[in-house]
Each structure stands twice: as structure tokens, then as C-alpha cells.
Amino acid sequence: MQRFLKPKPIFSLVIVLLLATALAVSLLLGTAGRSHAASQLHVFDHLTATSFKFITVGTPSDPRGNYVVFYDPVFDATDTTQIGNDSGICTVVSSTLQECHITFILSNPAGEIAVQGPQLLSGAVTTVVDTGGTGSFSGQEGSAKTDKVHTSSGLEFEFLFTFTQNGQ
């Protein structure tokens, strides 16, 4: 009985080689078998008088916890045609930074894009992370640069999404 419980050196070597080969093949297929096609989406988020609401939780000297909920129209790269809406919440985490959790909902067949990241209260350009999507945005990875834009008609946020589509 003890003879069967002792590992055989050749058997152990074969097991190790099989596992190493399986790992090497899976790594090669996991990277070499994927294609990455880059694409961009340029949109403008229009704030309107009724599209957002401030909710105050903090004090004037400590605004942490205050937040904004919103549902804004989103326009195409020419800033002339509405292509959908975005909705979300921005929570103030300090006097100079607010953390935004945004979901872009496009009313056309393209689908939805969800992004998260910091949005500076100063309006400086920031980058948020593309956390997922549906429809034609499913399986994409990437980010979006955001910029606060003042126009004659009011305040807008410009978003330039850059993502890659992972193919199998």
C-alpha cells in the first residue's frame, strides 16, 4: 500500500509539464487571439435648469457628502442633434473634488455606456473610466475625458470617449 502512496518522479514531472503547457497555451490564446480595435465617441452633455438637483448634506464649511442628481440631454459631436440622455449622481468628497458616477443612456440602438471617476469642481479636464456597456458598447474598455464648457446657451460638459473593443 505504501508503494502506491509514494510519488513517482517521472509521473510528477509529466504532471508539471502538462500543467506548464496548458498554462502557456492559455496565455498565448488569451493575448494573441484577441484583437483590439480603437474607437471614439464625442458627445456634449447639456445642463438645463430642470435637469439636475443639488442635495445638501454637509455644511458651508464642510461640503463633503453634498451631491447632485441629474438627467441631462446628450448631443452628438456637432453639438446639434440630441442622441440620448445621461443620468447619475455626483458626490462631493472634498471642497475641490467631486466623485461622479455617470451612466450614459443613448436613445438610439447603440446602447448604454457606464463611466465612473473624478470630476473637478473647477471644470478642469479630467478622465473617467468606462466601466461597461450594453448593445454595441458591450465588451468595450476605455475612458472618457471630460471638460466643462460655457456656451451662450448655458453650461455643458464635453465628453470624448476612447475605448477598445475586445474581440475573442
Side-chain angles (χ1 to χ4, degrees):
M1 182 74 161
Q2 286 184 347
R3 186 178 83 176
F4 293 109
L5 296 176
K6 290 185 181 177
K8 305 272 189 235
I10 192 78
F11 182 70
S12 297
L13 181 60
V14 168
I15 295 294
V16 168
L17 287 173
L18 285 173
L19 288 173
T21 302
L23 179 61
V25 167
S26 69
L27 288 174
L28 285 173
L29 290 177
T31 56
R34 291 187 177 191
S35 63
H36 299 280
S39 61
Q40 288 192 323
L41 175 64
H42 188 188
V43 298
F44 289 89
D45 172 337
H46 290 203
L47 276 71
T48 67
T50 59
S51 67
F52 63 92
K53 181 176 182 177
F54 288 98
I55 299 161
T56 304
V57 176
T59 64
S61 62
D62 185 4
R64 292 177 298 166
N66 292 348
Y67 56 100
V68 180
V69 292
F70 58 91
Y71 183 81
D72 301 324
V74 174
F75 288 76
D76 65 2
T78 65
D79 201 12
T80 57
T81 304
Q82 184 174 352
I83 60 169
N85 297 287
D86 70 359
S87 61
I89 185 169
C90 296
T91 303
V92 178
V93 295
S94 76
S95 60
T96 58
L97 181 70
Q98 64 184 355
E99 186 75 22
C100 293
H101 302 277
I102 305 167
T103 302
F104 277 80
I105 303 170
L106 303 178
S107 59
N108 60 24
E112 298 179 351
I113 306 168
V115 296
Q116 285 184 287
Q119 178 69 52
L120 298 178
L121 290 170
S122 67
V125 175
T126 58
T127 301
V128 292
V129 177
D130 173 11
T131 59
T134 64
S136 64
F137 303 109
S138 182
Q140 293 186 346
E141 299 173 347
S143 61
K145 286 191 177 188
T146 71
D147 191 9
K148 188 193 261 184
V149 179
H150 294 278
T151 67
S152 60
S153 60
L155 182 63
E156 299 178 4
F157 284 93
E158 179 178 18
F159 288 84
L160 180 59
F161 290 89
T162 302
F163 21 61
T164 57
Q165 176 71 44
N166 289 327
Q168 297 294 326

